[in-house]
Amino acid sequence: MFMRWWTDASRRPNRSARVAFALTLAAALAVTSGCSLLPKEAEEEVLPTITPPKLSEKPTYDVRVETIEQKVQGIGKIMSLREENLFFTSSGETSGGSFRVKEVYVKSGDTVAAGELIAELDVADKERELRRQKLEFRQEELKMIDILRKSDEYEPEELEQLKVDFELKRTTLVELEETIANAKLTAPFDGSVVSLKVKAGDTVAAYDTIAVLADLSELAVAADFSRDDLNKVAVGMDAVVSISAAGEHKGKVERLPTAEEDDNNNPNPNQPEEDSVDKYLLVELEAWPEGVTRGTPLSVTVITDRIEQAVVIPPAALRSYNGRSYVQVVDSEGNKAEVDVEVGKQTSTQVQIVKGLEPGQKVVGR
């Protein structure tokens, strides 16, 4: 009996161990239940790192030796040295002051010889009137012959008045003949019809352009410049002609404009203004490009001044104050110093420094 009690007692844990085990279990249950009852915490937002901006450093530029070129630019086109607008003047008038075209004998692109008929107005009424007036004038001639035979029977004033009336009738007849002759439009020189504005049956007014005749065997580079730019240009200056279809080509100024655009001394104020080659600056090319024809658009740059081996800086490096021109020079160690300079020629990208700087130095921009 004693031995069974000892064995049972040895299998049963002691009191302190049971208490420790119970406390541990209670604590674990409390922690687990507490976690499940609390709300889930939101994840903390990660803010980006803010880097303070750096102050921009002023740029530096090298003092260089370059060629300075001052230029002016104009736009123009390929033109014929001999080109003319063709038009009727005052024949075959119909109602409303217009004229009816009877026939057009050429088409655009045709080559014509001097004197060849281009177009003709309908002057049938004028031709019938001319035949009638010729007969009437013949009668007047016979009357005048008879009057002159009997001149001693007339007072001097009366005889003079009869002569004046006779000459007026002659003048009317001559004007009608001229009107009919002017109804035929002919080519003033050998050339090509580069533009035709009308067809048979159209009505036109006096001085309306009927066709444009040009001599395509003599073409030239013609450009238009502003008056201020033109005052800087002289014959013989170098020029660069830029043609979109043929690239750039070197040449020289051959001739300045010889006609003013506003010509107030026009003897025919009703005549339309011709696009004459005399109104343009002409450039002689070193080599004529292939495939370039009349009317091809282009631009012309004329070099009005050139300085070789000039000491230059960019305009951004030049500073001015109260008439003083100076720059900031920076050395190899980063030290800056103000230096007064004497300025020469200036362009949009270059400033010539006549005195104050040497090539290889560095200057600070604004």
Side-chain angles (χ1 to χ4, degrees), residues 38 54 57-58 134 160 196-197 201 205 220 230 262 301 329:
L38 293 175
K54 294 182 179 179
E57 296 182 357
K58 294 182 180 180
K134 281 185 176 181
E160 185 64 24
L196 190 63
K197 307 292 186 180
L230 200 59
D262 297 325
T301 301
V329 178

Side-chain angles (χ1 to χ4, degrees), residues 137-151 154 159 166:
F137 186 73
R138 181 56 182 161
Q139 290 178 338
E140 296 296 328
E141 283 183 322
L142 295 175
K143 288 181 182 180
M144 181 54 66
I145 291 173
D146 186 56
I147 290 172
L148 293 176
R149 287 174 179 172
K150 301 175 182 179
S151 59
Y154 297 89
L159 181 61
F166 178 78

Side-chain angles (χ1 to χ4, degrees), residues 22 25 49 61 77 103 111 123 126 132 146 152 220 226 230 234 240 244 263 271 283 294 328 355 357 359:
L25 179 61
T49 302
Y61 304 96
K77 57 187 174 181
E103 189 63 63
T111 300
V123 289
K126 298 293 183 182
R132 182 180 59 80
D146 186 56
D152 54 346
S226 68
L230 200 59
V240 177
S244 59
D263 188 4
Q271 182 175 337
V283 175
R294 175 193 172 275
Q328 281 190 349
K355 183 187 297 184
L357 292 177

Side-chain angles (χ1 to χ4, degrees), residues 103-118:
E103 189 63 63
V104 177
Y105 299 100
V106 298
K107 61 182 182 298
S108 183
D110 282 356
T111 300
V112 297
E116 186 173 338
L117 190 60
I118 302 295

Side-chain angles (χ1 to χ4, degrees), residues 9 43 81-82 92 124 126 156-157 178 183 189 202 211 255 287 330 337:
E43 294 183 3
L81 290 175
R82 192 174 189 186
K126 298 293 183 182
E157 294 83 1
E178 291 178 350
F189 55 86
D202 288 349
R255 193 180 76 188
V330 57

